[in-house]
Amino acid sequence: MHERLSIRRFRECDMDAILRIEHASFRKDAYDRNLFADFHHKCGDLFLVAEGTERICGYMLTCTRSREGTQTAELVSVAVAPEARREGVASALMDSTLHRLRRRGAKRLSLTVKVTNRHAVAFYRKYGFVQIRVLPRYYEDGKDAWLMVRDLA
Ligand SMILES: CC(C)(COP(=O)(O)OP(=O)(O)OC[C@H]1O[C@@H](n2cnc3c(N)ncnc32)[C@H](O)[C@@H]1OP(=O)(O)O)[C@@H](O)C(=O)NCCC(=O)NCCS
């Protein structure tokens, strides 16, 4: 586990650090400032950052929705700075997200991930997400996605 890591809500002053991590992680598919600002507005209390001793080293963004009285959530994105990977940063973000979702009474957390993104799929499987089905040509580059789901009960 990353030493002295704290998980807290995103603040506007974190934006540049998040954009650096985003670009290093997703290159041409990276979300831009406007999209993050939009998500902050819509899903702010589940837009979390991981802060190490010196800098922000990762983020996780989740949005909830309510339909017919049942609250569900979608994990929109997660990324960890390349130099901070495999130190438990994404795990700390996921633990905090799951805790916050349970506290709100959300029933289910879903996500989509490129079928070729082995590291992310391994991470989600470790957290009990199950591959439900393939979404063909889901991404702009024509790659397929896995729809993955985890119950929160
Ligand atoms: C996927 C990602 C968020 C994982 O972040 P991380 O902080 O390195 O993950 P953790 O250290 O918390 O790893 C937790 C578990 O995930 C799995 N995992 C993470 N990275 C892995 C890798 N490179 N290879 C295999 N398994 C991996 C392992 O099971 C690991 O547990 P272990 O270290 O005890 O074996 C990170 O690799 C990343 O930012 N990738 C680029 C962005 C991305 O693809 N995001 C997902 C988009 S859907």
Side-chain angles (χ1 to χ4, degrees), residues 107-123:
K107 299 291 181 226
R108 207 167 51 248
L109 178 57
S110 64
L111 60 88
T112 49
V113 56
K114 267 186 193 169
V115 296
T116 50
N117 192 344
R118 289 181 303 109
H119 302 163
V121 171
F123 169 62

Side-chain angles (χ1 to χ4, degrees), residues 21 25-26 75-82 84-92 111-114 117-124 126-127 139:
I21 294 168
S25 300
F26 297 109
L75 199 165
V76 176
S77 190
V78 54
V80 172
R85 289 183 190 160
R86 289 316 281 271
E87 294 179 16
V89 174
S91 299
L111 60 88
T112 49
V113 56
K114 267 186 193 169
N117 192 344
R118 289 181 303 109
H119 302 163
V121 171
F123 169 62
Y124 297 134
K126 181 171 184 190
Y127 269 86
Y139 294 99

